[in-house]
Amino acid sequence: MWFLIKGSFWFSLVLITLPVLNSNSREALEDAPPLEVGQSMAAAVEALSDIRQICVRKPDICETGSETFAALGVRAKEGARIAYQFLDSKFADGEPDLVTGSLPLTN
């Protein structure tokens, strides 16, 4: 589950960065609200601090959240297994799962 959270973060970061690297996107971004990096970072740090304190204020929320993330992790794992089996059945070329070899003995 943690992999999905980190992956989502990095994927979002890539999507945010792509328009900066593309010169054709500058016209589309002219009407967008300005991005203040310093204020955004300060707000993010404050939000993380508040999120850390929520478990002290309301422990039942953290308990429910951890149970939810555990259930989502199990479902994601099962979904990955189903997807793997589906792709394996569609793209398998009939070769055995494991092929080993050996070298001839030299004297």
Side-chain angles (χ1 to χ4, degrees):
M1 187 66 195
W2 186 244
F3 172 75
L4 293 175
I5 294 170
K6 288 189 332 186
S8 298
F9 168 77
W10 288 111
F11 184 66
S12 299
L13 194 63
V14 167
L15 290 179
I16 290 169
T17 308
L18 281 176
V20 174
L21 301 175
N22 187 351
S23 60
N24 297 334
S25 297
R26 293 179 192 201
E27 294 173 5
L29 294 175
E30 286 178 358
D31 296 333
L35 179 63
E36 299 293 333
V37 177
Q39 290 177 349
S40 299
M41 292 300 292
V45 168
E46 188 68 30
L48 283 174
S49 175
D50 189 47
I51 289 171
R52 288 183 187 140
Q53 296 299 320
I54 198 167
C55 290
V56 174
R57 292 190 309 258
K58 295 187 177 189
D60 57 325
I61 290 176
C62 287
E63 182 179 333
T64 304
S66 65
E67 290 172 358
T68 301
F69 279 118
L72 290 174
V74 170
R75 290 177 187 265
K77 183 178 177 182
E78 182 64 16
R81 185 188 64 78
I82 292 169
Y84 175 78
Q85 287 178 343
F86 174 76
L87 292 173
D88 189 46
S89 69
K90 294 295 180 187
F91 297 112
D93 55 357
E95 292 184 16
D97 292 336
L98 179 64
V99 177
T100 62
S102 61
L103 297 173
L105 293 175
T106 58
N107 293 332

